[in-house]
Amino acid sequence: GSIGSDFFKFDPESLEFSELHDSLAAYDWGDGFYSYNDSDGLVWFGLSHAGVLCLNQKTGEFCSYKNTPTKKYVNYPVTVGIIEDHSRNIWFATLGGGLTRFNKKTNNFYSYTPKAGIQGKISTSQTIGLCVDKQGNIWCGSYDGGVNMRPKWSKNIRLHRQKQDEKKSIGYGVVDDLCEDADGHLWVVSSGGGLSKISSDFNDAIHMSSSGQVPFNDKWYQAVERDRDNNLWFCGGRASFMDWRT
């Protein structure tokens, strides 16, 4: 997806890209923010002001999940993150509506929004960046609320914010993306806060960028991904890419 443009499909055999503009012309979809291919072969598209579209690749049919006056699907129309958990539920991160979970078995949507003064609720409605760890826990970044984690077997959400001692907490700034490494630690990248790492038990964190443990100096990151060889790949804010074996 791309802001101000379209979704693109890459063919690994021809090494060519094709736009999906004609297929999406019937939908008021705006900008394309995110796409995700789930375990059933469905392709989900996160949109800037029209919620979510789902493409059945076998039939070529699209299904629109755009809120109407009588029916609410994703809790907010701006969808910037999509992921599937171990139970085949689809999770959506939104800018303004918190988290939404879609149960494909029941075809029902469930929203997770902040509740002032109530513990165990998500800390913010401005969610971005999703990760499912090997235990099945759901991790979510945010623009203003740190890192939220929903344990697989609990409805209560745990929160990790920046602490006064920055070296022992996540960095400040927007938490753009999260990724679990081979040892079960969660890597957190943020715009302005650099790199952080949270322990697998969620109890400890370290701000890598201020502790001298990062072999490159940049506090602006937007994405992190782990490859098949367990290398972590980071996308820096200055259009740079870095490979770091943990």
Side-chain angles (χ1 to χ4, degrees):
S2 60
I3 297 176
S5 186
D6 206 340
F7 284 101
F8 298 86
K9 179 180 179 180
F10 176 68
D11 186 335
E13 294 184 0
S14 65
L15 302 180
E16 294 181 351
F17 288 88
S18 59
E19 290 188 77
L20 299 181
H21 181 79
D22 292 340
S23 301
L24 300 175
Y27 305 96
D28 182 20
W29 56 279
D31 296 324
F33 279 158
Y34 204 89
S35 62
Y36 183 83
N37 188 15
D38 72 16
S39 61
D40 293 316
L42 302 174
V43 183
W44 298 84
F45 300 94
L47 310 175
S48 63
H49 62 265
V52 172
L53 280 175
C54 180
L55 169 63
N56 186 323
Q57 296 188 86
K58 294 181 180 178
T59 65
E61 296 179 348
F62 282 89
C63 181
S64 175
Y65 293 99
K66 182 179 180 181
N67 295 339
T68 69
T70 59
K71 181 69 173 178
K72 178 174 283 190
Y73 299 104
V74 178
N75 197 42
Y76 198 76
V78 185
T79 305
V80 294
I82 307 172
I83 204 165
E84 182 178 22
D85 66 20
H86 293 179
S87 299
R88 296 174 55 231
N89 299 302
I90 305 298
W91 292 77
F92 305 97
T94 71
L95 293 182
L99 280 177
T100 296
R101 173 171 59 91
F102 174 55
N103 187 319
K104 289 192 286 186
K105 295 180 181 179
T106 64
N107 206 39
N108 290 326
F109 288 80
Y110 304 88
S111 297
Y112 298 81
T113 56
K115 304 289 184 182
I118 301 179
Q119 293 185 347
K121 300 295 183 180
I122 194 169
S123 65
T124 177
S125 61
Q126 304 288 333
T127 57
I128 182 173
L130 291 170
C131 174
V132 178
D133 66 24
K134 54 190 173 185
Q135 298 181 36
N137 304 313
I138 307 296
W139 299 77
C140 177
S142 69
Y143 268 92
D144 53 8
V147 174
N148 290 267
M149 190 268 278
R150 181 185 183 275
K152 181 179 180 179
W153 303 112
S154 174
K155 294 182 179 180
N156 292 326
I157 293 177
R158 301 176 65 182
L159 173 65
H160 212 304
R161 290 185 185 271
Q162 183 193 22
K163 300 177 182 178
Q164 187 173 4
D165 185 352
E166 187 176 317
K167 291 184 179 180
K168 296 182 179 180
S169 76
I170 62 174
Y172 65 90
V174 177
V175 177
D176 290 290
D177 201 9
L178 313 99
C179 181
E180 184 184 28
D181 66 19
D183 297 320
H185 302 299
L186 190 84
W187 289 76
V188 179
V189 301
S190 64
S191 299
L195 297 180
S196 305
K197 185 169 67 171
I198 300 176
S199 62
S200 57
D201 60 7
F202 200 71
N203 292 324
D204 298 309
I206 183 170
H207 187 212
M208 306 292 287
S209 293
S210 63
S211 65
Q213 299 188 43
V214 179
F216 32 79
N217 185 22
D218 193 342
K219 288 190 174 183
W220 296 89
Y221 295 93
Q222 289 153 345
V224 55
E225 188 66 45
R226 191 178 89 187
D227 65 22
R228 295 178 181 178
D229 296 321
N230 293 323
N231 300 306
L232 293 178
W233 292 82
F234 301 90
C235 176
R238 296 178 176 85
S240 57
F241 295 87
M242 288 149 289
D243 162 29
W244 188 12
R245 181 180 294 274
T246 62

